[in-house]
Amino acid sequence: MKKAHAVVCSFVTLSMLIAGCSGSQGKPEGGAASSSPAPSAPAATDAKQPPLKLSIMATYYTPQPPTAQNDIWKKLQEITNTQIEMTWVPRSAYDDKVSVSIASNDLPKVLLALNSSAPPLVNAIKSGMFWEIGPYLKDYKNLSALSKLQFESTKIQGKTYSLYRSRPLARFGVTYRQDWLENLNLKEPKTPEDIYNVMKAFTQNDPDKNGKDDTYGVLAFKDGQGYLIPHIASWFGAPNDWKEENGQFTPAFMTNEYLDALKFIKRLYDEKLMNQDFVVTEEQQMNALYNQGKAGINLGLFDDVGKSQLELRKINPQAKVGILDTINGAKGQRLWAQPGYTGVFLFPKSSVKTEAELKAILAYFDRLQEPDAVNLLTWGLEGKQYKLVNGKVEKMIGDDAFNTDTLGLGELRIDDGSKELGITGEDPLTTKGKKAIADNVKIAVVNPALPLYFESATWSQKSNDLKKIVSDGAVKFIMGKIDEAGWKKVQDDWKKAGGDKVLTEFAEIFAKSKNK
């Protein structure tokens, strides 16, 4: 019997309401750099400039947060001439920590907000708790070169308050245990029904050949059932969060395609092809279970595949991971686009007292995007984690210091990695994952309502409650506690709770944007 790994149960926001938008690059926010740019963070060799003291709150997804003894962390502070006090908070507790910090006005100088459209955060921004940074961006070479489109997506009342963390648009991907597929003499799945059959075999046919009934086809976690809904809903042709037709908006969960996806997931749950305790499983637990060889298919992100295989091989050196082409579903090959960023950095006025201090902090983030800082956070220290061969990185084989010392530091980056050094000898699976991310942009389905989130007063106020109605309803449907009639009631409840007003506001805002 597969054991439940129980934790405190709570229903939270569905991943299906993660926003998605186009990733085309626009002109920089604020235009070209001015003739008198703001000062850059001084080099560590400049003895006349004391280090900039920063306090930053950020999250981590790994078993332990980065350590202050981390050599890469020390080097980063050296080259940016900073002295940084970090508060690391696990992802499972992070959103609550942000809300409590805002409510108590106990904030660091730099706050990472992962849910940038959360009502408490948006209300705090509107109340004047954070610096508006838009007017300053033109004075920084790297910050001014960031995507204007992405800044538009994060504006509140037409103003820019945050630095977004750039990430690829088409990150969603299906990976699988290639060695399990070979053990069972199965072919790589191409359709939803194919992947169902593989999940069933991975659950029931002892794919790891250990003689135990201890594997699942796929895993899910409580935040929107993991990435399960976004992946599977895209296979069945559901829109990315919202559908827009002739200026009218329909939430994805009200479409027939979305219901088909829920029925598919319910089938997985009923047949015990997925973990039965998904409603109390944290994301970190799910990742740990997959890395321990407890599931054969991972519906996650393609930029994690190299790391995933590395973790798997710590327990089973023979483990092999494969990457699937996007599943060919009801409307062909497609996937939900992500926003092009994940979380934003904000600068509280209660902690950042002066304009001069704000400019110095922005200079730090500008400096973080220079090639040496990007490479440091990507590859570590030359001579320790890697060596250079003809100007390209060649990772030092068998050196665990890379994984130890870079633990979690990527959460501080706002760059997209495009400035990093060239790669020699990169793990082939990592290279394949990066290529898939680039190739899949052409089949990524965007969220047409993303620019409306901050403009709709009702959405800003009630989005958490509305999302919870859908999240709880989806869980109940998957677990068989409600039927299709019950699912229809979920839709009605959503409308009565403010959803109808959101639809009206979205239509009005959309119409105004077209008339500009």
Side-chain angles (χ1 to χ4, degrees):
M1 179 65 67
K2 298 157 182 141
K3 294 183 179 180
H5 33 283
V7 295
V8 177
C9 176
S10 64
F11 296 112
V12 292
T13 304
L14 271 174
S15 288
M16 53 75 67
L17 282 162
I18 295 173
C21 72
S22 171
S24 59
Q25 297 293 307
K27 294 181 181 179
E29 171 85 357
S34 69
S35 58
S36 56
S40 298
T45 55
D46 186 355
K48 296 180 181 179
Q49 293 288 342
L52 173 66
K53 292 186 177 181
L54 281 178
S55 54
I56 303 176
M57 188 169 89
T59 191
Y60 66 94
Y61 296 82
T62 46
Q64 298 295 326
T67 169
Q69 304 307 311
N70 185 326
D71 286 340
I72 296 173
W73 179 232
K74 292 178 181 178
K75 183 66 176 178
L76 183 69
Q77 294 177 88
E78 177 188 327
I79 67 175
T80 59
N81 195 28
T82 52
Q83 190 174 344
I84 302 177
E85 178 185 342
M86 286 298 310
T87 299
W88 294 104
V89 182
R91 178 63 186 98
S92 59
Y94 196 78
D95 292 340
D96 287 341
K97 176 65 172 176
V98 169
S99 295
V100 170
S101 298
I102 289 173
S104 62
N105 202 19
D106 181 17
L107 295 163
K109 294 181 187 295
V110 179
L111 174 69
L112 170 62
L114 295 174
N115 184 4
S116 57
S117 63
L121 181 68
V122 173
N123 292 335
I125 292 171
K126 289 179 177 178
S127 74
M129 285 184 67
F130 297 92
W131 283 89
E132 180 193 354
I133 64 171
Y136 303 101
L137 296 178
K138 65 182 184 300
D139 296 329
Y140 302 88
K141 178 184 70 173
N142 296 312
L143 298 184
S144 66
L146 295 173
S147 167
K148 181 176 176 60
L149 178 65
Q150 304 294 32
F151 276 121
E152 286 292 330
S153 297
T154 60
K155 280 185 175 180
I156 294 177
Q157 295 180 327
K159 297 180 179 180
T160 297
Y161 293 88
S162 60
L163 290 177
Y164 66 87
R165 300 192 306 169
S166 182
R167 297 294 186 269
L169 281 172
R171 300 171 75 194
F172 280 144
V174 181
T175 57
Y176 66 96
R177 287 293 297 271
Q178 187 174 331
D179 51 334
W180 287 14
L181 207 69
E182 293 169 358
N183 286 345
L184 300 177
N185 295 314
L186 297 172
K187 294 181 179 179
E188 186 177 276
K190 302 294 184 184
T191 68
E193 192 63 20
D194 287 346
I195 203 167
Y196 159 78
N197 288 326
V198 170
M199 290 176 180
K200 188 171 185 177
F202 280 175
T203 304
Q204 299 178 354
N205 296 350
D206 191 21
D208 55 0
K209 302 300 182 184
N210 69 352
K212 300 177 182 178
D213 175 24
D214 60 353
T215 57
Y216 290 105
V218 69
L219 296 170
F221 67 96
K222 68 179 185 179
D223 188 2
Q225 297 72 63
Y227 296 112
L228 216 61
I229 285 180
H231 277 85
I232 295 173
S234 72
W235 303 346
F236 284 89
N240 184 350
D241 290 357
W242 297 86
K243 178 174 66 175
E244 181 271 319
E245 286 183 322
N246 301 319
Q248 301 299 310
F249 287 82
T250 303
F253 76 92
M254 290 188 182
T255 64
N256 292 331
E257 294 91 345
Y258 192 92
L259 179 59
D260 288 340
L262 287 187
K263 289 177 180 177
F264 183 92
I265 298 171
K266 184 179 187 304
R267 185 182 181 191
L268 301 180
Y269 180 83
D270 289 346
E271 297 181 18
K272 297 182 172 55
L273 309 187
M274 59 182 279
N275 51 316
Q276 300 291 283
D277 57 351
F278 70 92
V279 294
V280 293
T281 300
E282 300 285 355
E283 182 177 6
Q284 288 169 301
Q285 288 178 300
M286 184 191 76
N287 291 336
L289 287 168
Y290 180 79
N291 292 335
Q292 292 164 13
K294 298 302 181 184
I297 289 176
N298 181 30
L299 303 182
L301 305 174
F302 270 155
D303 40 8
D304 289 341
V305 293
K307 177 184 175 183
S308 176
Q309 181 166 262
L310 181 67
E311 292 298 320
L312 276 166
R313 286 179 173 173
K314 288 181 180 178
I315 297 175
N316 179 4
Q318 306 305 315
K320 291 193 296 183
V321 174
I323 288 178
L324 288 182
D325 287 334
T326 306
I327 293 295
N328 193 9
K331 296 181 181 178
Q333 290 189 325
R334 62 202 299 278
L335 54 81
W336 285 8
Q338 293 192 293
Y341 66 93
T342 177
V344 299
F345 286 111
L346 290 149
F347 312 98
K349 290 180 180 177
S350 60
S351 305
V352 181
K353 301 290 188 181
T354 66
E355 182 183 51
E357 187 176 15
L358 175 67
K359 288 181 176 180
I361 294 172
L362 292 176
Y364 162 76
F365 279 100
D366 194 69
R367 179 67 179 84
L368 273 189
Q369 294 177 90
E370 291 297 322
D372 61 339
V374 172
N375 288 322
L376 178 66
L377 290 174
T378 303
W379 297 107
L381 292 165
E382 183 178 358
K384 184 173 183 180
Q385 279 83 32
Y386 71 89
K387 60 182 176 180
L388 284 178
V389 179
N390 297 323
K392 293 189 175 183
V393 170
E394 184 175 277
K395 286 178 66 176
M396 300 174 76
I397 299 173
D399 187 357
D400 288 336
F402 174 80
N403 298 301
T404 300
D405 290 350
T406 58
L407 198 64
L409 292 180
E411 295 302 309
L412 301 179
R413 298 175 67 165
I414 64 171
D415 67 279
D416 62 4
S418 62
K419 296 181 182 179
E420 68 189 41
L421 289 169
I423 304 162
T424 299
E426 181 179 59
D427 180 89
L429 189 63
T430 298
T431 302
K432 191 172 182 180
K434 289 180 178 179
K435 184 177 185 302
I437 288 171
D439 290 346
N440 285 343
V441 168
K442 64 181 179 293
I443 61 170
V445 179
V446 302
N447 175 1
L450 181 67
L452 314 179
Y453 284 173
F454 297 114
E455 300 298 322
S456 166
T458 304
W459 182 256
S460 295
Q461 180 184 1
K462 297 187 175 182
S463 59
N464 282 356
D465 293 337
L466 293 173
K467 291 174 184 178
K468 189 175 187 301
I469 290 171
V470 180
S471 178
D472 289 356
V475 167
K476 290 175 182 177
F477 187 89
I478 291 167
M479 298 179 71
K481 295 182 178 180
I482 62 173
D483 56 13
E484 289 188 42
W487 182 243
K488 180 62 170 61
K489 185 178 184 301
V490 169
Q491 300 177 22
D492 293 338
D493 290 345
W494 183 90
K495 291 178 181 179
K496 293 175 184 176
D500 267 342
K501 195 170 182 182
V502 168
L503 298 180
T504 299
E505 291 176 3
F506 276 12
E508 292 173 350
I509 297 165
F510 185 80
K512 288 178 182 178
S513 70
K514 293 301 179 183
N515 292 329
K516 286 183 179 180

